[in-house]
Amino acid sequence: MKRIVSFVMVLIVIGVTMVSASAVDYGCNVETKSKGVYLENLDTGAVILTKSAEEKMYPASTTKIMTYAIVADNVTDFDNTMVDINEAVFKDLDIESTVMGLSKHVGEKYSIRDLLYGMMLPSGNDAALVLADYVGGGSIPAFVEKMNAKAQELGCAGTNFVNPHGLHDPNHYSTAKDMATITKYAITKPDFMTITSTVSYTPARFDQPLTNTNFMMINNADTAKYYYPNVKGVKTGYTDEAGKCLVTTASKDGLTYLIVCLGADYSFTEDINYAMLDSCDLYDWVFENMAQRTVYSATEVVKTVKVNYGKGEDKVSLMPQGELTALLPKNYDQSLVKVEVDCEDSVDAPVSRGQAIGKVTVTYDDMTVGTTEAIASKDIELDKAKVFWSNLANWFKKNFILIVIIAVVIIILIIILAVAANSRKRKRERERSRRRYRDY
């Protein structure tokens, strides 16, 4: 019996997994060399493609996305908050570690903004440590605790940080899906997209500019195979153990997408970054194949509901709150699009035009691709007479048993009184009969 139960449970788990996997399918058939991939439309939240997106992997310097977010959570003035450059903070960095170059500026002060540029553009591990030390109150482990607390708060169950820069540690890991979640949070922080989308920046007292390591934003002979004019931000990453990692966004035709690629191969002999090539291919596919489609116009009726106590009206039509659009494949199957309206079967007057009555949900092949409010198409006044008679009828319905009991009691009392009256009448008649008999 135990074996049978275990077998059934396995089948259920497999079935649920298959349903979950098959439910997210926009038909994206791009083959990627990255081990972990996550592609999402930021306008609608639609997840277009995932590949091992919840598998734990090493994030390398994409870690710095979270580092930026924690710094921005704790520092409000990037320009006037100055930090001392203390050599002890980064003295143990690997000599081959990517750096901003702060070892040449020990004893100087730099603004948070300069350090953020130094961390995000050339992927300066020294800048990450200086920022973490400052925000952590002189304790980098305290800063890392903030990173992990924020990851938990965001629901990133597959993430654990050990340091603020992403250099390899077996216990430092994340997932493609978690990195997307962290990036979406970081995008809400001040100047994140501005800084990460900057190609070149020169801090004060620096002889050479800091250059962005994201070649998808740089158009020259060396980077031409990666250049993608629609890309903005976000962060690159690489260690031998992690492989090539990349998080980017791109916008075109009013739509913005986020792509996370982790664990991509890197060919030193051919000098090919497959995380960037994968991202190029994915952006090509999504911009060519996906589009925002109008499912319902703002004047189309999605449902009609009953109106209680309406003056001269007993029904109201519901329409979408504005044009109802959804992110769909350009060659989508119309039969797979369904519109559902979640609302009560009736609504009480008065009703105002534009009043939210319910929710409209659009699904495509069982995937939710759009939602909006269902609103009333016109005004309907309250009929007070209907309310009065309805309340009266409801009172009688609620008090029916009591009314019946009272009626029965009254009837019984009437009967008792009638019987008593009749009894007294007969008694008087008998008395009169006896008196007549005595008179004779």
Side-chain angles (χ1 to χ4, degrees):
M1 186 56 122
K2 288 182 179 179
R3 290 179 180 176
I4 293 173
V5 172
S6 298
F7 179 70
V8 171
M9 291 302 294
V10 169
L11 288 179
I12 291 173
V13 171
I14 292 174
V16 171
T17 303
M18 290 175 65
V19 169
S20 300
S22 62
V24 183
D25 184 10
Y26 281 95
C28 183
N29 55 5
V30 176
E31 294 186 5
T32 58
K33 293 183 179 295
S34 300
K35 294 177 182 177
V37 177
Y38 188 91
L39 168 56
E40 178 180 341
N41 177 269
L42 293 181
D43 306 287
T44 65
V47 180
I48 309 301
L49 176 69
T50 63
K51 174 184 174 183
S52 301
E54 297 187 55
E55 181 179 333
K56 293 176 182 178
M57 300 180 187
Y58 301 127
S61 282
T62 59
T63 297
K64 296 180 176 97
I65 298 170
M66 177 62 95
T67 302
Y68 187 111
I70 300 303
V71 171
D73 281 345
N74 291 272
V75 178
T76 56
D77 189 343
F78 290 176
D79 294 303
N80 296 311
T81 304
M82 306 301 291
V83 182
D84 292 314
I85 305 304
N86 183 356
E87 185 178 14
V89 173
F90 49 81
K91 66 179 181 180
D92 294 328
L93 275 179
D94 190 312
I95 192 172
E96 296 182 357
S97 174
T98 54
V99 293
M100 174 184 178
L102 294 175
S103 62
K104 298 178 181 179
H105 300 271
V106 172
E108 298 177 1
K109 291 180 179 290
Y110 279 88
S111 68
I112 293 292
R113 184 176 300 278
D114 282 345
L115 294 171
L116 288 173
Y117 271 107
M119 178 176 69
M120 302 306 284
L121 269 59
S123 201
N125 296 322
D126 51 353
L129 290 171
V130 170
L131 287 166
D133 182 71
Y134 175 78
V135 174
S139 170
I140 292 174
F143 182 87
V144 174
E145 287 182 9
K146 292 179 183 289
M147 295 172 70
N148 286 317
K150 179 58 68 174
Q152 291 300 310
E153 179 185 324
L154 295 174
C156 300
T159 296
N160 184 67
F161 296 115
V162 174
N163 57 60
H165 42 60
L167 289 176
H168 181 68
D169 186 292
N171 293 316
H172 187 101
Y173 52 79
S174 188
T175 70
K177 181 180 179 181
D178 284 358
M179 287 310 304
T181 300
I182 292 167
T183 301
K184 286 185 288 184
Y185 177 72
I187 286 173
T188 67
K189 300 290 105 179
D191 298 332
F192 177 80
M193 289 304 297
T194 299
I195 290 176
T196 62
S197 300
T198 300
V199 172
S200 179
Y201 176 82
T202 305
R205 300 181 299 279
F206 267 61
D207 298 329
Q208 299 294 326
L210 306 174
T211 303
N212 204 313
T213 55
N214 184 0
F215 298 152
M216 294 186 74
M217 297 189 300
I218 300 174
N219 187 15
N220 59 41
D222 295 328
T223 61
K225 58 178 172 287
Y226 306 122
Y227 179 64
Y228 207 92
N230 306 100
V231 164
K232 298 294 182 183
V234 173
K235 190 69 191 75
T236 61
Y238 174 77
T239 65
D240 291 340
E241 297 82 1
K244 286 292 183 180
C245 302
L246 179 65
V247 181
T248 56
T249 70
S251 300
K252 185 179 179 182
D253 299 329
L255 295 173
T256 301
Y257 293 90
L258 167 70
I259 294 179
V260 178
C261 289
L262 300 181
D265 293 332
Y266 179 73
S267 171
F268 285 98
T269 56
E270 299 175 352
D271 190 25
I272 296 177
N273 184 324
Y274 286 106
M276 292 187 185
L277 292 184
D278 284 347
S279 297
C280 288
D281 291 341
L282 288 167
Y283 282 129
D284 280 343
W285 186 93
V286 80
F287 285 127
E288 181 178 346
N289 290 277
M290 302 297 295
Q292 199 80 330
R293 298 298 190 188
T294 299
V295 180
Y296 267 86
S297 72
T299 58
E300 289 185 86
V301 175
V302 293
K303 190 171 183 177
T304 301
V305 297
K306 180 182 176 183
V307 177
N308 303 317
Y309 322 123
K311 192 176 220 180
E313 302 278 356
D314 61 358
K315 292 180 181 179
V316 65
S317 298
L318 304 185
M319 301 182 302
Q321 188 180 39
E323 188 176 71
L324 181 55
T325 61
L327 184 71
L328 296 168
K330 290 182 179 179
N331 57 346
Y332 72 96
D333 184 347
Q334 180 66 44
S335 65
L336 297 179
V337 178
K338 297 179 182 178
V339 178
E340 298 179 356
V341 182
D342 182 17
C343 66
E344 299 294 333
D345 293 332
S346 65
V347 61
D348 292 341
V351 174
S352 301
R353 182 178 181 181
Q355 177 182 335
I357 304 294
K359 181 180 179 182
V360 184
T361 300
V362 181
T363 61
Y364 177 70
D365 196 17
D366 296 328
M367 294 180 292
T368 298
V369 292
T371 59
T372 189
E373 298 287 347
I375 61 173
S377 59
K378 58 184 176 181
D379 295 325
I380 298 179
E381 295 182 22
L382 176 67
D383 190 326
K384 294 181 179 179
K386 286 184 179 179
V387 174
F388 172 78
W389 290 112
S390 176
N391 289 341
L392 185 61
N394 288 335
W395 185 87
F396 275 103
K397 287 179 183 178
K398 291 179 180 178
N399 298 282
F400 178 74
I401 295 177
L402 178 61
I403 294 171
V404 170
I405 292 172
I406 293 173
V408 169
V409 170
I410 291 173
I411 291 170
I412 291 173
L413 288 174
I414 292 172
I415 292 172
I416 292 172
L417 292 173
V419 169
N422 188 51
S423 176
R424 287 194 297 273
K425 182 179 180 182
R426 286 200 302 270
K427 184 177 180 181
R428 286 194 298 269
E429 288 177 352
R430 285 197 299 271
E431 287 293 329
R432 284 197 295 269
S433 297
R434 283 198 292 271
R435 283 198 297 272
R436 285 197 299 270
Y437 179 75
R438 286 197 297 269
D439 290 341
Y440 286 110

